[in-house]
Amino acid sequence: MNFGVIIFPGSNCDHDCVHVLEDVLSQKVTQVWHKDTSLAGLDAIILPGGFSYGDYLRTGAIARFSPVMGAVKQFAEGGGMVLGICNGFQILLEAGLLPGAMLRNRSLSFICKDVHVSVENAATPFTGRCEPGQVLKIPIAHADGNYYTDDVTLSQMKAAAQVVFRYCTADGKVTPEANPNGSLDNIAGIINAAGNVMGMMPHPERSAEEVLGNDDGRLIFLSMLDALKKAKLKTVLAS
Amino acid sequence: MKPGADIITKDLIAQHGLSDEEYKKIVEILGREPNLTELGLFSVMWSEHCSYKSSRIHLKKLPTTGIRVVQGPGENAGAVDIGDGLCAVFKMESHNHPSFIEPYQGAATGVGGILRDIFTMGARPITLLDSLRFGLLDRPLNRHLFKGVVAGIAGYGNCMGVPTVGGEAVFNDIYSQNPLVNVFCLGIAKKDKLFKGLAAGIGNPVIYVGSKTGRDGIHGATMASDSFDEASEAKRPTVQVGDPFTEKLLLEACLELMAGDLLVGIQDMGAAGLTSSSCEMASRAGNGVELDLTHVPRREPNMTPYELMLSESQERMLMIAREGREEEVLKICRKWDLSAAVVGRVTSDGMLRVKDNGKVVAEVPAKALAEEGPRYERPSAPPAFQDHLQSLNFDLLPDVKDATAVLLSLLESPTIASKRWVYQQYDHMVRTNTLVRPGSDAAVVRIKGTNKALAMTTDGNSRYCVLNPYLGASIAVAEAARNLVCSGAEPIGLTDCLNFGNPERPDIMWQFILCIEGIKDACDAFNIPVVSGNVSFYNETNGLSIYPTPILGMVGLIEPADRAMTPWFKQAGDQIILLGATKEDLGGTEYLRVVHQREQGTPPLLNLETEKTLQHCVLRLIREGLVRSAHDCSDGGVAVALAECCVTNSLQPLGAVVKLAAGPLRFDSLLFGESQSRVVLSVSPAHCEAVLRKAGEAGVEATVIGTVGGERLVVEVEAGGRGSGCRIDADLETLYDRWGNSLERSLTHP
């Protein structure tokens, strides 16, 4: 598969995503500069973490105006898979591709540590390899990961199973203590209604190799690969 | 046309921090009086900060060569060969004065400066470590400074995507009026693609890249070469403001420029900005540089040549490009939205010539600025209080009664307590190389594309240094090396950051000279070269000087990478072995400070041969796969080391049952004394005999002192014939709470 990793000025997890896809999972990766306007030939898009435009003004607020974002919108509207990790998630929120917004962490500080998340929806193309309720250990590293949205949107999202990950304890309990940043309803990751655009604050690319202490994050990328292969097969069969 | 004349008064000379003698030398070099701009150039370049005028003759004593050394001191950073065609490029620098005046920006720009030193060399920075010294946290000002500095380091390093993987924080009231912020950075470069600060090739264009120049930081280098008093608050405007986003763009642009064949030299505009970068590059190449300030990108109108040359605006680089490749350079800079302009040419006449609006406004031999500054062999003499400091009659101090309570109070001393509150604010995982995270004896990062990993640590015990500067400094080298060895690494290079008081005082010079000798002798013994470094003098406020604080940043190589070792216990049933001998070493210990409120005595003795033997033995045992954990004994002695082995892996704490024989020792010496050359190992029962045998063959004292397991740490001390012994008994939860949460508690609920 050919993954596009978008590089905004200030992205800093771009190399890590490329490393996992190329070196760990042997996939093809195209690094897409934010001033590019075409995503032709790409099977899935990843918006990596970092500090696009220095996070000045508000996280993701400037990056959403980058020339490439028009193409990302089109790609998503056409059903293409888009994954936003950390700052990538924040950009997807600002771009309106996902509902809600990010507030400053409850502690007001940057937090870098391993957290546990429970898989609330295992039927997405990003979580197909997981069991429902499975607990994944994946690190977070952010200052603005305190997810917020209004009550109506939240209940709609819940009804449509759009909450994909929630912060939980090591044994899977979703408790206030397990919530590292104050996120509404312990939300760590969500998906759009169409089911092809996902944002998550934890960094799966940092936990995709056993040598780094755990490889739970790999399941996200493997799930994406499964979904892409299935879609390709369908296209082939249909033709 | 000659530079215009200004009236240079005695006051003006003094304001520029120049002595009468130094001014005379300037007139001699120029053959005339300088104008104001030229006086400014000399002022910054001949400041202590840039010229090392009080330290240079002593720094020359340090060993700087070795088979792995690719670049020693004198460049932006040092470099050592790590094989596979790669080298590790590293350096440590202080940003003490700015951090005291404005903690967030002071620390942030410190990080920015050291990062530029590394990527200037063509290396991609892969790790940061920070070594902090602050006053005790019961004072609100100290909490404010500490929180601000940590936030500043986090703000800059996190945004850059360079993980802060380790470091240390030590708390002592001597730093209340003068905290220390030392930052270490390491990058990886191809050995044959190292870049240097050389203005080579007559006619080559000089290109300015990065942020626009403003009026910030003018005379920062001069400020850093002065002591503090009540008026220092007013110096806040001389602290620069960092912009990590621009620095990130600058990093990527520089590495992209270096990948092509476009540049012949590059240097960052750090202290003394445009002045130091231009004259140092010219001087190293034996050439001159002509700058035309008209083209310098600027943030404010009406800046004078004096201001432009002395500004310390951050995130700027000066590059020497190949003639004819200017447009390619500028194009890459535009891609990264950076200001860039051709601002001059390399010349053959050895002069730094500065033009503005067609007029020559300064003309000074580059070498005179960069290399011919004054050198002082300042007088030295021991402080009057030295004998008093070293004498301590231990018979007057009662021995420990409740050893459990002492252990808990040591664990919550902020110097010993977990620094989790600090490092959780640092992104320590980005770049996905971090094999051993903060909280171990050393941080370990893998080198992608190889089978290797690097371990790195910063160390320095200033209490030892004030009591005995020579011994304190050699212990710092030994401890840094021991930390690396306990992580499974062979030490391969060192950078030093030497923080001292006012060098014009003989007692400070005495401390400085002895510390250098201590570092030198230890480096010689362990065969570790010093490849880069930094000196920070004038760390004193209202006449009160800090303790002599040499901080060492040491780098070690682990091959294969999976031989990296960690300090915490792994498996119930494992045998605990103490390597090395415990002696009556209470002088200068953290125990004395915390329990008896004394910072006195003679620091632990260090026998370099014994230390070397121990380190070889530990490294061999780890490499042969015989060891499950290894932890250096340092602050708080063997009792604290054991407690740390139990709880540093908070996900899987493991207790231990230990028996120690006091023999002739006091109980407090046995438990909390800081005898050097000791390491706590845990080994599987199957390997215990082999470990003891190999240690014996190497001549290292090795004693099985207990077994891993259970929910408590129990240490029984047998008194022998001297009546009843003593005992430590604490459950893991209490141990973890006191060690793990104290720092956070003292900052959030003082």
Side-chain angles (χ1 to χ4, degrees):
Chain A
M1 297 295 160
N2 191 354
F3 285 80
V5 173
I6 299 193
I7 303 173
F8 297 93
S11 292
N12 66 29
C13 303
D14 45 342
H15 292 177
D16 301 350
C17 289
V18 172
H19 166 71
V20 167
L21 291 165
E22 273 184 353
D23 305 335
V24 181
L25 300 171
S26 309
Q27 300 301 309
K28 187 167 181 266
V29 179
T30 304
Q31 302 188 32
V32 183
W33 182 235
H34 75 117
K35 289 178 187 169
D36 293 348
T37 49
S38 164
L39 299 173
L42 297 174
D43 298 307
I45 299 296
I46 293 180
L47 277 64
F51 288 70
S52 58
Y53 293 94
D55 275 357
Y56 297 155
L57 185 60
R58 196 170 64 239
T59 57
I62 306 178
R64 82 174 179 95
F65 293 109
S66 269
V68 77
M69 285 308 291
V72 171
K73 263 191 182 161
Q74 265 182 0
F75 188 86
E77 279 160 10
M81 285 173 76
V82 178
L83 172 64
I85 302 167
C86 197
N87 192 228
F89 183 9
Q90 294 161 341
I91 295 169
L92 291 175
L93 292 172
E94 289 286 340
L97 286 167
L98 288 171
M102 285 299 174
L103 307 175
R104 194 86 179 154
N105 290 348
R106 189 175 42 192
S107 67
L108 304 180
S109 305
F110 189 96
I111 304 169
C112 175
K113 64 173 186 180
D114 280 330
V115 297
H116 294 96
V117 294
S118 70
V119 179
E120 302 285 303
N121 181 353
T124 79
F126 303 90
T127 50
R129 286 273 183 124
C130 307
E131 299 294 324
Q134 186 176 348
V135 176
L136 308 178
K137 188 172 90 175
I138 307 183
I140 54 165
H142 59 248
D144 301 83
N146 182 351
Y147 180 79
Y148 182 79
T149 191
D150 59 88
D151 292 345
V152 178
T153 311
L154 180 65
S155 51
Q156 282 169 353
M157 279 167 58
K158 279 179 161 174
Q162 283 177 252
V163 176
V164 183
F165 299 112
R166 293 170 83 199
Y167 298 110
C168 67
T169 59
D171 53 359
K173 294 194 186 76
V174 178
T175 65
E177 295 73 37
N179 186 342
N181 51 26
S183 276
L184 185 67
D185 219 29
N186 283 40
I187 287 174
I190 58 173
I191 197 163
N192 64 346
N196 65 321
V197 178
M198 185 173 87
M200 60 190 297
M201 285 315 288
H203 286 269
E205 81 282 10
R206 296 187 183 186
S207 50
E209 296 167 85
E210 217 162 311
V211 67
L212 298 174
N214 93 78
D215 57 356
D216 288 356
R218 200 176 169 137
L219 292 172
I220 311 295
F221 299 105
L222 292 176
S223 301
M224 288 178 79
L225 274 174
D226 288 350
L228 289 170
K229 278 181 199 153
K230 221 194 248 169
K232 280 237 158 133
L233 194 64
K234 252 189 200 165
T235 330
V236 172
L237 290 177
S239 63
Chain B
M1 197 189 299
K2 280 287 155 198
D6 292 292
I7 310 286
I8 304 296
T9 63
K10 269 199 177 285
D11 275 355
L12 208 50
I13 296 166
Q15 276 166 25
H16 281 77
L18 291 162
S19 69
D20 291 348
E21 282 302 308
E22 288 166 351
Y23 184 72
K24 256 187 225 158
K25 195 172 164 190
I26 293 170
V27 174
E28 208 172 284
I29 287 169
L30 294 179
R32 58 178 167 81
E33 303 263 328
N35 63 26
L36 182 62
T37 304
E38 292 167 335
L39 187 72
L41 303 186
F42 277 104
S43 160
V44 287
M45 290 310 297
W46 285 15
S47 69
E48 186 67 56
H49 188 79
C50 290
S51 73
Y52 293 84
K53 59 188 166 192
S54 304
S55 58
R56 193 163 290 219
I57 57 165
H58 302 290
L59 294 172
K60 277 192 184 147
K61 298 173 201 159
L62 295 171
T64 58
T65 54
I67 43 165
R68 287 185 184 274
V69 177
V70 180
Q71 177 65 58
E75 266 293 335
N76 289 298
V80 291
D81 192 340
I82 57 168
D84 295 305
L86 301 174
C87 56
V89 178
F90 57 92
K91 190 183 184 184
M92 184 157 46
E93 263 195 357
S94 62
H95 232 219
N96 306 335
H97 290 76
S99 301
F100 181 46
I101 297 176
E102 196 341 88
Y104 185 99
Q105 293 299 344
T109 52
V111 174
I114 191 70
L115 281 162
R116 282 194 300 283
D117 279 337
I118 301 307
F119 68 78
T120 302
M121 302 282 294
R124 177 175 283 281
I126 62 161
T127 57
L128 289 163
L129 284 82
D130 54 276
S131 179
L132 309 176
R133 298 292 181 275
F134 281 82
L136 293 175
L137 296 172
D138 47 2
R139 295 191 199 199
L141 176 64
N142 291 339
R143 290 198 295 275
H144 159 75
L145 291 171
F146 185 63
K147 285 179 179 174
V149 162
V150 169
I153 292 171
Y156 209 104
N158 295 351
C159 184
M160 286 295 291
V162 179
T164 303
V165 295
E168 14 126 54
V170 172
F171 299 85
N172 188 304
D173 268 334
I174 199 73
Y175 300 109
S176 281
Q177 297 298 312
N178 199 318
L180 303 183
V181 177
N182 291 186
V183 190
F184 167 101
C185 183
L186 179 142
I188 299 292
K190 288 197 176 122
K191 195 179 153 190
D192 57 3
K193 285 285 275 179
L194 269 188
F195 279 80
K196 294 187 182 180
L198 280 180
I202 314 298
N204 276 338
V206 178
I207 300 182
Y208 171 117
V209 182
S211 289
K212 295 181 168 72
T213 298
R215 289 197 172 90
D216 46 343
I218 290 174
H219 275 302
T222 318
M223 173 192 80
S225 307
D226 201 358
S227 307
F228 273 149
D229 53 34
E230 285 80 6
S232 299
E233 278 278 297
K235 291 182 178 167
R236 189 162 295 137
T238 58
V239 178
Q240 313 87 327
V241 174
D243 175 4
F245 173 56
T246 299
E247 176 114 328
K248 169 72 172 157
L249 303 180
L250 193 59
L251 160 67
E252 299 302 336
C254 284
L255 294 182
E256 192 170 329
L257 286 166
M258 288 161 168
D261 189 29
L262 303 173
L263 304 182
V264 295
I266 176 168
Q267 182 159 333
D268 86 294
M269 294 190 226
L274 199 47
T275 303
S276 63
S277 51
S278 56
C279 74
E280 286 177 2
M281 282 205 284
S283 179
R284 284 195 202 104
N287 289 329
V289 158
E290 183 171 301
L291 296 176
D292 187 347
L293 298 180
T294 322
H295 305 298
V296 170
R298 39 187 111 184
R299 218 163 50 208
E300 308 172 52
N302 305 321
M303 286 185 71
T304 63
Y306 181 97
E307 291 170 328
L308 286 163
M309 290 303 290
L310 267 55
S311 163
E312 292 188 8
S313 289
Q314 298 288 292
E315 293 92 22
R316 301 179 301 160
M317 285 281 185
L318 202 63
M319 302 172 172
I320 311 297
R322 292 191 196 286
E323 201 169 1
R325 311 293 294 269
E326 293 89 334
E327 196 38 50
E328 290 165 79
V329 172
L330 297 178
K331 191 176 162 208
I332 290 175
C333 297
R334 276 197 297 274
K335 172 188 164 186
W336 290 99
D337 298 323
L338 291 165
S339 298
V342 176
V343 295
R345 296 274 158 191
V346 177
T347 62
S348 60
D349 64 2
M351 300 300 277
L352 171 63
R353 188 174 304 105
V354 184
K355 287 182 173 173
D356 193 28
N357 290 319
K359 279 198 300 199
V360 174
V361 292
E363 191 169 29
V364 178
K367 212 172 211 80
L369 286 171
E371 286 171 50
E372 289 166 4
R375 300 273 181 278
Y376 296 122
E377 183 157 15
R378 298 194 186 273
S380 79
F385 54 77
Q386 199 66 28
D387 287 345
H388 171 71
L389 269 183
Q390 289 186 343
S391 66
L392 179 60
N393 183 354
F394 287 99
D395 294 340
L396 300 178
L397 299 178
D399 201 347
V400 58
K401 294 231 164 49
D402 185 348
T404 307
V406 169
L407 173 63
L408 294 177
S409 60
L410 280 170
L411 288 176
E412 70 182 1
S413 153
T415 298
I416 290 176
S418 163
K419 307 302 181 292
R420 193 192 63 232
W421 181 88
V422 178
Y423 65 71
Q424 272 193 359
Q425 296 185 53
Y426 301 151
D427 190 340
H428 50 267
M429 304 182 203
V430 63
R431 302 207 67 75
T432 62
N433 295 321
T434 315
L435 300 183
V436 178
R437 296 178 186 180
S440 181
D441 285 0
V444 179
V445 293
R446 66 173 168 183
I447 306 302
K448 285 192 186 116
T450 73
N451 193 21
K452 293 171 177 152
L454 290 176
M456 52 208 88
T457 178
T458 62
D459 284 289
N461 187 322
S462 65
R463 198 160 50 236
Y464 293 172
C465 288
V466 74
L467 298 175
N468 184 330
Y470 175 86
L471 194 51
S474 28
I475 287 176
V477 177
E479 188 180 341
R482 207 184 309 136
N483 279 326
L484 295 182
V485 162
C486 285
S487 303
E490 177 200 352
I492 56 171
L494 178 75
T495 179
D496 56 8
C497 197
L498 308 170
N499 308 274
F500 287 80
N502 178 351
E504 295 159 46
R505 282 173 43 182
D507 52 339
I508 301 296
M509 224 36 226
W510 178 82
Q511 293 173 334
F512 182 75
I513 292 168
L514 282 176
C515 279
I516 295 273
E517 283 172 7
I519 294 172
K520 174 198 178 294
D521 287 352
C523 284
D524 281 339
F526 302 131
N527 205 9
I528 304 171
V530 179
V531 297
S532 58
N534 168 244
V535 179
S536 170
F537 278 131
Y538 298 98
N539 289 291
E540 68 171 42
T541 299
N542 291 328
L544 177 68
S545 171
I546 59 161
Y547 290 167
T549 314
I551 307 282
L552 304 179
M554 202 182 281
V555 177
L557 185 63
I558 305 177
E559 188 179 11
D562 62 8
R563 279 289 179 242
M565 183 48 62
T566 48
W568 47 85
F569 292 145
K570 307 288 187 311
Q571 178 83 48
D574 281 354
Q575 298 294 291
I576 304 168
I577 296 176
L578 177 64
L579 297 181
T582 304
K583 295 174 219 130
E584 201 82 69
D585 281 318
L586 280 181
T589 56
E590 184 70 5
Y591 162 78
L592 267 195
R593 188 190 70 78
V594 170
V595 175
H596 296 286
Q597 291 81 46
R598 282 171 192 267
E599 300 185 73
Q600 259 180 301
T602 311
L605 288 179
L606 173 71
N607 180 312
L608 290 170
E609 278 310 307
T610 307
E611 179 72 38
K612 224 166 94 175
T613 311
L614 169 95
Q615 291 189 13
H616 282 160
C617 172
V618 172
L619 192 55
R620 187 176 154 207
L621 292 171
I622 292 173
R623 284 179 169 167
E624 289 177 3
L626 296 171
V627 172
R628 261 212 275 252
S629 75
H631 187 25
D632 150 57
C633 278
S634 61
D635 288 334
V638 73
V640 165
L642 285 166
E644 289 171 344
C645 291
C646 291
V647 298
T648 39
N649 179 13
S650 58
L651 293 176
Q652 195 207 353
L654 272 171
V657 177
V658 171
K659 263 198 180 123
L660 296 171
L665 295 176
R666 291 166 61 110
F667 297 154
D668 50 9
S669 290
L670 177 73
L671 291 168
F672 309 113
E674 296 174 6
S675 292
Q676 294 297 299
S677 314
R678 293 183 303 165
V679 167
V680 174
L681 303 178
S682 70
V683 304
S684 76
H687 290 145
C688 190
E689 202 200 309
V691 168
L692 293 174
R693 193 186 66 243
K694 283 171 192 259
E697 284 164 9
V700 174
E701 194 173 320
T703 322
V704 177
I705 58 170
T707 309
V708 176
E711 303 283 308
R712 316 180 71 78
L713 170 63
V714 180
V715 182
E716 296 278 0
V717 176
E718 292 166 348
R722 290 188 289 140
S724 59
C726 84
R727 176 183 168 87
I728 288 172
D729 186 352
D731 62 82
L732 292 175
E733 214 171 302
T734 309
L735 287 173
Y736 181 79
D737 181 59
R738 298 293 278 271
W739 174 80
N741 299 326
S742 290
L743 185 61
E744 187 165 351
R745 267 197 294 265
S746 55
L747 285 161
T748 49
H749 303 289

